[in-house]
Amino acid sequence: MSAESTARVTRTTVNARKLWAGGVATAIVAALAAVVGVLAVRGPIDIPVITPPHTPWDSQVATVAGYAAIVALVATGLLHLLLLFTPRAPTFFTWIGVLATAAAALWPFSVEGTTKSQIASGVIYLVIGLAIVTLLSGVGASAQNTLTSRT
């Protein structure tokens, strides 16, 4: 009598098309969150938003929205690499994203500006970062496929 091997091998793959489509959608949401945040702060309460001094854009709205979209796409690339090469990729991605968001939200307090401007800018960057992290966490989970085979 021979015993047949019934060991199972589990392998996780990444659906890159789904991941990057979600990443582009996240970039759009991040850019729109930036536009809403800047307009809400500059319009009704007339507080300037703190942005980097040298940017390729002429307005604060375009600057914050452009960087938000770029950050979302860079975060998608990071998530893709983590999904391919690390164990527990979602956990690492969440930690990296939350810490990067905290750094972005605290950055306005390290440059010259009024306290109101620093707080308003920090809140805008916090909302953008949390949107990126939460949306991409969901995208990453749906882009993973677990395959189980018998050996």
Side-chain angles (χ1 to χ4, degrees):
M1 264 177 117
S2 67
E4 190 174 315
S5 175
T6 59
R8 292 181 180 224
V9 176
T10 302
R11 185 172 58 105
T12 302
T13 62
V14 177
N15 183 333
R17 182 178 297 170
K18 187 182 281 191
L19 177 68
W20 283 96
V24 169
T26 299
I28 293 168
V29 170
L32 289 172
V35 169
V36 169
V38 173
L39 292 178
V41 168
R42 290 194 55 207
I45 55 178
D46 195 29
I47 298 173
V49 176
I50 298 172
T51 58
H54 304 290
T55 65
W57 299 285
D58 291 333
S59 73
Q60 286 184 330
V61 173
T63 297
V64 178
Y67 280 131
I70 290 168
V71 166
L73 294 174
V74 169
T76 303
L78 171 65
L79 178 57
H80 196 169
L81 289 173
L82 291 171
L83 288 170
L84 290 173
F85 299 113
T86 61
R88 300 178 45 133
T91 303
F92 285 111
F93 178 77
T94 300
W95 270 101
I96 292 167
V98 167
L99 291 171
T101 297
L106 292 172
W107 171 76
F109 297 95
S110 70
V111 297
E112 191 71 30
T114 66
T115 302
K116 286 181 182 179
S117 187
Q118 291 171 327
I119 292 170
S121 300
V123 168
I124 290 169
Y125 298 145
L126 178 67
V127 169
I128 293 167
L130 291 177
I132 292 170
V133 171
T134 57
L135 289 172
L136 285 180
S137 293
V139 167
S142 69
Q144 284 185 306
N145 300 316
T146 303
L147 305 171
T148 304
S149 59
R150 294 178 189 213
T151 59

